[in-house]
Structure formats: structure tokens, C-alpha cells
Amino acid sequence: MSGQSVFTGTYYDGRTARPFSARAIPAQEGLRILLEGENVSEIIWDYHKIHRNPVNNNKIVLKYGDFPSETLELGSEAFLKAASRYAPDARFLILPYRGYLRIGSAGILIGVAGIIGLLLGLYFFLIPALMNFAADRFPRSLEYEMGQSMKGTFISSAQVDRERTRDINRFFGLLKADTRYKINITVIKSGVKNAFALPGGEIVVFSAILDTMETYHELAALLGHELGHIEKRHTLKLLFRNLSTYILVSALLQDVSGVMAVIVDNAARLNGLSYNRKAEKESDEYGFALMQKNHLRLTGMTSLFEKLKAGDGHEGEVPEFLATHPSLGRRIETVNSWIAGQTDNSKHHPGLDHYWQLLRKKH
Amino acid sequence: MNINKDIAAPGEINFTGKGGELFGILLVNFILSLITLGIYYPWAKAARLKYLYQETSFGGSPFSFHGTGWEMFKGMIKVIGVFMLLLLVLYIGLIFRSFPVLLVGFGVYFLGLLFFMPLAIVSSLKYRLSRTSWRGIHGGYRGTYGSMLKIYLKGILLTILTLGVYGFWFWVSVYREIFSNIRLGNVRFSFRGEGDEFFIMNVKGYALTLLTLGIYYFWWRSEVYNYFFRHIVIRQEERQARFLTGMTGSRMFELLVTNFLLLVITLGIAFPWVLSRTMRVYAGNLSVEGEINFGTIVQTEENYTDAGGEAFIDGLDIQLV
């Protein structure tokens, strides 16, 4: 029996919590457990029926048999090595979590980088793709109701210019536009040069932006652009995306979501900004196509942008907090490059001009 | 055979887990849950609970958690079925857009939740305790759904009628019911707290927290912690034991403020360290003292492997210890 190692520990028989001093001896025939006492008794455990609690900082805890199982607590890691001489493939020697339990600081750093990478990937690629998918399939009737309730909140605190609202809708009615939506435009009395589109077909135009315009081409450019936002469901996508951020955060972080949501919400706004620039370009393209189709003067679009750029810092088109100056400059360049490839086939539109004259007189 | 003498500090409760190790487990859980779109969740939970239980020891012997991911997965499927059914009723109400149908939908949904909540708690306790052992002795829960449901129906009704005031007595009655049915072998528990005391403590805590601009909050929390543990009575036949707690407001303050700062500064990544230090402080301030010789506990409880309630309390976001 030379070369056998003996390990001391505590044994519990599974019937009571009474501790027995035990000596564990890994041997060929199995794990021999000698229970101390007046008469030393011996138990033999089959290596392949031993289970081990995956982790414990202080002790190796072995379980044997079905409910209620016997338990052996040992204090020395050397036991595992000794046992592996007799049964290297025994289940209790291989721990699923062993590999990364002692990952160390480098492992933690890699893990942290991994989490951050995964979250960024999720946030910048997977979620936008999923949200676009969802937004594209969102029922139009619900989209309309959502737009109505948003409009309701907004309009209640603003003054509607009824005459101009009537005329601008007639103006729009004369434009040839491909749209799946029933468009309704509202003119609001306001000194801010702004206009925005809501989901489901609502466009809100602030009176100050009308006052800066000089031609009906510019108004058509503005409406075409806003129609682009509606057709491409930009607001809906933005809403979905901000919403998904909350869902993601609360799902992943559970208890700490309160603090995190605030942090991530701010990040969502910054990200929403870049999303909107892309959306602006899509809407510009849409508006540009609309102007071509209606034989309008394409430079109406750039002159509109120029006026907004020269304005008082409020840019229009998008809610102010999303608007930025550099993007307008870049948008003018982009539209100019589109114009460069076109021949001017614009015609005079007496109908549009008629309503434009009515619209511009009223102030 | 003689009883082992070298068992360190009988009665002490300790948590020996380490933030770094917990991080490893939670990281793998997180990644696998994400990749499997949440299907891994029960296995993740089993791994987390195994670690937390097995790093917690009483009288020098660690607890064991025997639950498996597969058991909890089966539980989760059942519960998803129940939730889907309840949500379906609600959606039918929304789709029809008629007020009576909507009312019935809401009614069935909330009544359903009301009736399932006690069921969830009872079956979760049955599972969780049966799958927990200490020195090979398994825990158990002997309470029935019927008695918990009665407490719930009475509690919720009175809480609504008293505009929430009865909530404190309700909480105490739920804990009385729970503890009187917990077993660890032939060791029994009971909860001797009174609703009046709990109510006054919370009113006082709330008022002083407001008056001190939040500072008293930590003392309030430590009072609730002490109240909870000091009223638990442990019995084995004629012998009794109780928890001693050493929690103070300043310890609670140090714990919670540091936790908060750690979480905010690391954007939540320090969560495993926060969890392990919370466990360490909570366990470290607890010990058991009394006449019971814990070496004489006898195995009494049956095996119980239905984890349905486990998933339900997750679904309802109820926190069990």
C-alpha cells in the first residue's frame, strides 16, 4: 500500500448532519473513506459516481449517490491530483467552470472588452437592422394614430394659421406625388424657422419658414423633403430605435437599469443624430425626385437650404435639437452635384403660383 | 465513531465568493444567453445560484444548490405557456376594441396574475429549498397553495381598501406563512415579526429619510435587515436558536454608496464585484446562536424537482433570497 496518499476531511452520511472525521484514500478499487471511531468503518466510492460541487473557495465538496446523497468535504486540492492517477476520466475531476474561474486580470480585461464589443455591435448593427425590419412592417393605421397623438400634444400649445393651412394643403394637392399616405399639412404661427413630419402623413410647417421663402419652388422642395421623411418612416424608425435601447438596457442589466438607462438614453440621442443625417439625405433624394417629376426649378432646393443656413440658427426640417450646421452645407453640395447632371426642364405652374401668392401675402 | 471537533466557529455565516470568479461565470452566462437569444437563461441561472450557494457557508460547511438548467428550462417553458395564454386574452381585448371585451381581457389577465403569484411563490420555494442542502441535509417547503392564496387575496383586498397601509401587515403575513413552512431536515423555522412594528419602522424611516435629505435611508435599510433576521426563530424539537445581526446604518451606507459608485463608474461592469461584496456584508453580519446542535439534524424532506415556480417568479420579477 505504499505511495497511497491520505487526505483528512469530514463525511456526512445523508441521513443526518452529523459530521464524521474521515480519511480519504484514493485507491485502485475506488475512493476509500475511513470513518474514525472506536471501530474504524470503511466505505468505498466508485469514482464514476462521484459528483463535485463546481466551485468552492475553501473546500472540495464531493457528493455521492442519489437523493439524499452522501457528502465528503476535503480541504486539499492535492486530493484531485491523487485521484486522477486512478480515474483520470472521472466526471468530478473535470469542472465545466474551472477554465474561467481563475481567469485573472488579463482574462477580465479581455472579457470586459468582449462585452463592450458585443454591446456596441448589438447597438450599432443588430438593433438598427431589427428595428428597421419592425418599422417597415408596422401597420399604417397605427402609425397614423401615433402621428395624430404626437400632433395633438404639439398643436395644443401652438396657434394654427387656418387660412394658410387651407392654402398650403391646396398647394400640395396640385403636386404630383407618389405616396401611400394621406397627407395633411398644418401651418403654425411661430417665429422659429422650422418644419417637421410626423408618422402617418402629418406635416407641420412654422410660419417663419414660409416668410423667408421667395418662390413656390422652395416650398415644393420643403414639402417634398418632409414627404420623404413620411414615406421612409424616419420618425417611426427613430422612435423604435430609442425604445429598443430601453428594452435592451433593462433586459440586460435588470437591477441597475435605472442608472444605466439615463446614461444610454443620452448616447441614444447622439446616435439618433447620425441616424438623422442619413435620413435627411434620403429625404432630400425623395424631394429632389418629386421636383423633377413636377418640372420644378431644381435650384429651389438649394436656395431653400441657403436661406435656412443664413437664418438665425434655427435650421428647420428637423426638430432643432437634431439639426446641425455642417450638415446643411454638405447637403447643399450634394444637391448641387445632383443638379449638375440634369438639364433644366422646369415649367411655370400657374396653379402652384396662385396658391403661393395667397400663402406669402398672409402675414 | 466520534463527532468531528475541528469545525470552525459554529453558527457563523460566511460568503467566500470572489468578484473575479463571479465575473467569469456571469460573463459566460451573458454571452451564451445573448447568443441563444435567452434560451440559455435557465442554465445561466443554475450556474449563478450554484456559485452563490456554494460559496455561502454555515458553521464552516458550504450550502449546495442541486438544481439544474434542464429542470429550470422545463419550468420556464411551462410558465411561458401560461403567460402567453394570459397575454392572448389581453390581446383579444385589444384587437376587438370593444370596451366590454377589453374589460374582460384585463380582468382575466390581472385576476390570472393575482392567482398565479402565490402559486409561483409556493412552487418556487418548494423547488429552491428542496434543491438546497447543507451537510447533505435537504431543505423543504411544506406550505400549500391554498393557504398562500388566502393570505394573498385577503392581503391584496385590504391593501387596496386601506390605500396601501395594510401592505406592511400583508408583507409580514406572507413571511410568517413562508417561514413557518420552511424545513431543513427536522429543523423548523418561524417568523415572529409583527406588522405594527414593521409599519412604524417604515413610516419613521420614510419620514426621517425625507427630513435628512436621504441620509437616513441607510439606517432605515439596516433596520429592515435587522428586523427581518431577528424575528426568525429556528427550532429543533424543544431547542431554539436565533439569528444575531450586526448590521448598522454606517455599514449599510458604506456598502450601498460604494456599490452605487462602482456601478456608475464602470457602467455596470463591476456588477459581479458589487454582488459578491453585498453577499459578503450581508452574510458576514449574520450568525446563529442558540441551543441547537446542528450536527443532530435528521434528513426529513422529499425530493422536489418541478422548477415551474422558479421561472414564474422571474417572470413576475419577484425577488427571493
Side-chain angles (χ1 to χ4, degrees), chain A residues 9-22 33-35 43 45 70-73, chain B residues 1 4:
Chain A
T10 311
Y11 169 85
Y12 302 95
D13 62 10
R15 291 188 292 273
T16 73
R18 182 179 170 189
F20 296 98
S21 293
I33 301 168
L34 303 177
L35 302 177
I43 308 169
W45 281 5
E70 298 160 65
T71 307
L72 181 65
E73 297 174 1
Chain B
M1 292 189 253
N4 191 334

Side-chain angles (χ1 to χ4, degrees), chain B residues 281-301:
Chain B
V281 172
Y282 273 34
N285 282 294
L286 269 187
S287 60
V288 175
E289 204 181 71
E291 307 149 334
I292 298 177
N293 176 356
F294 287 91
T296 62
I297 306 179
V298 177
Q299 187 86 273
T300 57
E301 300 306 295

